[in-house]
Amino acid sequence: MTVELEPKDRLIVALDCGATEAVQLAHALRATVRWLKVGMTLFYQEGPAIVMELQRLGYDIFLDLKLHDIPHQVSGAAHAVSGLGVQMLTVHASGGEAMMRSACEGARSGAVLTGVKPPSVIAVTVLTSMGDDGLSSIGVDRPAEAQVPLLVDLAMSSGVDGIVCSPLESAGVRASIGPNALVVTPGVRPEWSEKGDQNRITTPGDALSRGASHLVIGRPITAASSPVEAARRIIAEMEGATR
Ligand code: C5P
């Protein structure tokens, strides 16, 4: 399934900014980009209205809320936001199997209620901000490189549609979850862009060749002097890598 996607369908632009700038960028990128990522900051400030405004412009929405709570609450949250007709929704794999199953059920029931397609529910394993010391401090005594595969297996057996991971982990994740599940990777930087605060990064072409189905890219596009030109350049690089 994912192998049939065109490069343009695999690029998700992260809108980590206020609503005014997000809407300006959305207008500018309309003819070039298909997907936008709305994270907690924008969603908690603006609520469902910002999602609906971006949808009116024709975008698919990756709603990156990283749900993590008791199953009943996560089911309710997934139900509520899936009714908006978003295409992807994130949960934390560390919330456990029952929580991830509830997220999937809530996503389905919310979509059915409003007559939209349910979103793909995708699981975040270990936050890339969390090193081995951080894991140890919360009582996880195995390194991230062992914790990630454990959570990937748990997530996939809970019925989620894919995984969010670093592009440096994506080849292993792809090998373990098969060709059809989603592998969504942030931490992508074209050679010509600033690295910013991202350390464990790779290029768009490399991320695709390591098994990513979708790339999340923010500042190389949103902070560029011409976001449209930057997005076109990245899509051209992705086309080169998938040919
Ligand atoms: O601007 P940049 O391309 O670094 O943005 C990457 C996006 O991916 C941001 O929205 C960031 O929150 C998100 N992200 C990340 N690393 C993770 C998970 C999500 O950079 N491990």
Side-chain angles (χ1 to χ4, degrees), residues 12-16 37 39 62 64 66 124 126-129 164-166 185-189 195-198 201 216-222:
I12 303 173
V13 177
L15 293 179
D16 297 319
K37 179 172 92 92
F62 172 17
D64 187 18
K66 297 190 176 67
V124 177
V126 178
L127 291 172
T128 46
S129 53
V164 186
C165 64
S166 150
T185 63
V188 180
R189 286 286 177 273
K195 311 243 167 322
D197 52 7
Q198 293 279 15
I201 52 171
V216 177
I217 303 184
R219 288 160 294 177
I221 295 171
T222 59

Side-chain angles (χ1 to χ4, degrees), residues 116-192:
V116 295
K117 193 167 175 267
S120 299
V121 176
I122 54 175
V124 177
T125 57
V126 178
L127 291 172
T128 46
S129 53
M130 193 85 150
D132 293 347
D133 288 348
L135 283 174
S136 171
S137 74
I138 57 163
V140 177
D141 285 326
R142 59 168 72 80
E145 66 177 352
Q147 182 68 356
V148 169
L150 181 146
L151 289 173
V152 166
D153 288 347
L154 183 69
M156 296 313 292
S157 64
S158 307
V160 305
D161 302 288
I163 300 293
V164 186
C165 64
S166 150
L168 303 183
E169 292 158 357
S170 58
V173 171
R174 172 61 74 205
S176 107
I177 70 179
N180 294 327
L182 301 174
V183 176
V184 179
T185 63
V188 180
R189 286 286 177 273
E191 299 282 0
W192 42 267

